Amino acid sequence: MDDSLNIKEHWNTAYNKDDDQLGWFESNPDKTMGLIAKTNLAKNTLILNVGAGTTTLIESLLYAGFTNIIANDLSDVALQRLKVRIKKSDNYDLKCVADDLTNPKELNQLKNVDLWIDRAVLHFFLKDEDQETYFNLIHKIIAKNGYVLIAVFAENGGKKCSGLPLQLYSVEKLQDKLGRNFKLIESFNYTFINPSGGERPYIYTLFQKNNESVVVY
Ligand SMILES: C[S@@+](CC[C@H](N)C(=O)[O-])C[C@H]1O[C@@H](n2cnc3c(N)ncnc32)[C@H](O)[C@@H]1O
């Protein structure tokens, strides 16, 4: 069977559980919101939350006044749950894009995304070509002066999440992957305590895309 189908099935099955049984679920995404506050982006700015799952970040973004949000995930089960919940809580029609970050079709069509948000997704991509596809997508669809917020397991983080092996990251590794077109604005380490009380060390980073094109010698 196709690898991507297996992975999709893995995540759809994971989302058969309630949110408080998901090892990565956070009821208050304040670390992410704190970084977003540093951007001073307009409220109608285009925000793309990749691998959103059933995150509470969408409610927090709406509460902060943001009006133009797209949620992506590989799992249509997660996106459906998220969409229904947001409609019920905030009467907001969340745009959802079910697409694979390692083989994007619909995401590729997006343009001028002002803010890319990834919490706990990139670290699942172990193959070089999958990581390359992920970063190429960022390069392609992020607007000039746009921001990239990535929060992933730090180098002292766990070896697995949701039963899957992980690639761990440092700020330097993320900077290296993004390239010189992206400038680090802020980063910090944060140990997330998951719903079962386990410690999960993350690295939070905010980068901004440079205006000028970089000359490579
Ligand atoms: C650990 S969860 C994090 C969910 C959410 N970001 C949060 O903070 O609650 C990882 C998410 O990435 C999604 N995912 C995994 N592989 C993906 C891929 N190739 N493309 C898009 N989403 C993917 C999963 O379905 C899952 O929702």
Side-chain angles (χ1 to χ4, degrees):
M1 196 197 284
D2 183 337
D3 247 17
S4 63
L5 281 182
N6 272 327
I7 291 292
K8 184 173 172 172
E9 218 174 285
H10 170 90
W11 287 108
N12 273 340
T13 306
Y15 282 106
N16 282 329
K17 291 188 191 148
D18 289 340
D19 284 340
D20 60 5
Q21 315 244 306
L22 302 172
W24 55 88
F25 187 76
E26 55 174 4
S27 49
N28 183 358
D30 57 341
K31 299 293 171 241
T32 301
M33 289 306 294
L35 279 182
I36 293 171
K38 309 263 163 170
T39 65
N40 281 321
L41 282 166
K43 299 300 182 194
N44 65 350
T45 206
L46 178 56
I47 298 178
L48 173 64
N49 185 192
V50 296
T54 55
T55 183
T56 53
L57 180 65
I58 309 298
E59 279 100 334
S60 294
L61 289 169
L62 291 171
Y63 187 72
F66 292 103
T67 55
N68 196 6
I69 308 164
I70 302 176
N72 150 262
D73 207 280
L74 183 61
S75 164
D76 38 15
V77 171
L79 286 180
Q80 182 58 18
R81 250 172 73 178
L82 183 65
K83 194 173 172 68
V84 169
R85 196 184 76 210
I86 300 295
K87 181 74 188 163
K88 211 168 151 190
S89 64
D90 293 82
N91 194 25
Y92 179 79
D93 256 322
L94 180 65
K95 183 171 177 199
C96 291
V97 176
D99 200 3
D100 183 347
L101 284 160
T102 66
N103 185 19
K105 302 269 180 352
E106 219 181 309
L107 288 173
N108 253 326
Q109 309 304 314
L110 296 176
K111 281 189 193 132
N112 294 326
V113 172
D114 299 299
L115 174 60
W116 170 287
I117 307 170
D118 169 347
R119 173 181 177 268
V121 187
L122 167 66
H123 55 210
F124 290 106
F125 307 147
L126 304 184
K127 292 187 200 154
D128 285 348
E129 65 257 37
D130 289 349
Q131 294 169 12
E132 207 178 308
T133 304
Y134 175 98
F135 286 102
N136 282 344
L137 183 64
I138 289 181
H139 280 270
K140 180 166 182 221
I141 69 173
I142 295 296
K144 268 185 192 169
N145 297 319
Y147 291 87
V148 173
L149 191 167
I150 299 178
V152 275
F153 271 28
E155 284 186 324
N156 61 335
K159 301 274 177 286
K160 284 193 171 181
C161 175
S162 186
L164 300 173
L166 305 175
Q167 167 72 63
L168 304 177
Y169 281 90
S170 61
V171 179
E172 293 72 25
K173 195 170 172 72
L174 286 168
Q175 177 73 74
D176 192 48
K177 290 277 183 189
L178 278 166
R180 286 190 291 156
N181 262 3
F182 286 82
K183 178 177 163 222
L184 181 68
I185 304 294
E186 189 163 330
S187 68
F188 56 85
N189 290 91
Y190 167 64
T191 300
F192 168 64
I193 307 296
N194 79 6
S196 333
E199 293 190 358
R200 300 287 181 270
Y202 277 74
I203 175 99
Y204 274 72
T205 59
L206 178 68
F207 293 88
Q208 185 173 23
K209 191 172 181 177
N210 292 329
N211 212 348
E212 322 98 51
S213 49
V214 172
V215 183
V216 181
Y217 294 98

